[in-house]
Amino acid sequence: SAVISQKPSRDICQRGTSLTIQCQVDSQVTMMFWYRQQPGQSLTLIATANQGSEATYESGFVIDKFPISRPNLTFSTLTVSNMSPEDSSIYLCSVPGGPGGYNEQFFGPGTRLTVL
Amino acid sequence: QQQVKQSPQSLIVQKGGISIINCAYENTAFDYFPWYQQFPGKGPALLIAIRPDVSEKKEGRFTISFNKSAKQFSLHIMDSQPGDSATYFCAASNGETSGSRLTFGEGTQLTVNP
């Protein structure tokens, strides 16, 4: 399975500021996914980031709030813009792949964001 | 739109007992059903997965049972151990139409008492 790292691991931010989260994978992958996990909740897909094209956002998420970059096949960033306390969540990136086939998906350790 | 429903929300089991978590889905196009295990402060880790062409898959103490007609699947943890205490998520995806986009259940917080 892919080894995925995220930076920062956690951060505490002030309302109205922005935070960029980095996701690094140890192998080249076409698709990367960004999820949000609100406190005590399940995971919700924010967007799919394909290298060389615009990210595809899920219903309820917009590019102005969560701009994504995908400069190469091993790296992506997610920015949480103009933050409010409601953005306090764990943000996770994931990539597909593995011996079981394309459907398998592996997650990074997450970035725990607290907005004051 | 919640397409995968998971129960129970929380579960307490004694060491050595069997833990059972259930999920039901709506979208008949789903063709891949994984279970993830998440410890506090960590990302979800793939535990075991099944495709609808089989009714059961076993890996060690973990077994998935799948009922296609009922659109339900469940995770059984045999001989549950305190180290199994974690949050478990079921999920589903359709590789043909959505790549690997996963739809997750609400999660079950499992506590195994020593």
Side-chain angles (χ1 to χ4, degrees), chain A residues 48-105:
Chain A
T48 302
N50 291 318
Q51 199 274 333
S53 64
E54 294 290 325
T56 304
Y57 289 83
E58 297 299 306
S59 175
F61 298 96
V62 295
I63 186 171
D64 290 346
K65 177 66 176 178
F66 298 101
I68 288 172
S69 76
R70 185 78 204 278
N72 57 54
L73 292 174
T74 63
F75 187 79
S76 178
T77 67
L78 169 76
T79 299
V80 186
S81 303
N82 188 25
M83 289 183 286
S84 67
E86 292 70 33
D87 294 319
S88 297
S89 295
I90 300 172
Y91 292 86
L92 299 133
C93 66
S94 71
V95 301
Y102 188 69
N103 284 108
E104 289 191 353
Q105 199 165 132

Side-chain angles (χ1 to χ4, degrees), chain A residues 32-47:
Chain A
M32 295 178 76
F33 301 91
W34 286 99
Y35 287 83
R36 180 176 73 182
Q37 186 175 23
Q38 294 177 302
Q41 301 296 314
S42 186
L43 288 81
T44 301
L45 181 64
I46 298 172

Side-chain angles (χ1 to χ4, degrees), chain B residues 3-97:
Chain B
Q3 295 183 341
V4 180
K5 294 190 179 298
Q6 183 173 344
S7 63
Q9 187 175 16
S10 62
L11 179 62
I12 300 175
V13 175
Q14 292 300 120
K15 178 182 177 181
I18 302 174
S19 303
I20 302 175
I21 305 171
N22 301 298
C23 282
Y25 63 97
E26 300 172 1
N27 187 349
T28 56
F30 286 146
D31 63 0
Y32 175 71
F33 303 90
W35 285 90
Y36 283 84
Q37 179 189 56
Q38 186 177 32
F39 292 104
K42 305 291 186 182
L46 180 62
L47 189 61
I48 187 173
I50 197 169
R51 297 187 187 277
D53 53 344
V54 297
S55 60
E56 185 175 284
K57 183 175 182 180
K58 183 176 181 178
E59 291 183 0
R61 296 185 294 110
F62 301 93
T63 300
I64 298 179
S65 296
F66 185 82
N67 186 329
K68 187 174 182 178
S69 62
K71 294 187 287 184
Q72 295 176 347
F73 58 109
S74 60
L75 175 69
H76 296 234
I77 305 175
M78 311 300 289
D79 187 27
S80 298
Q81 299 297 311
D84 296 330
S85 297
T87 301
Y88 293 80
F89 293 96
C90 63
S93 73
N94 178 343
E96 288 189 2
T97 63

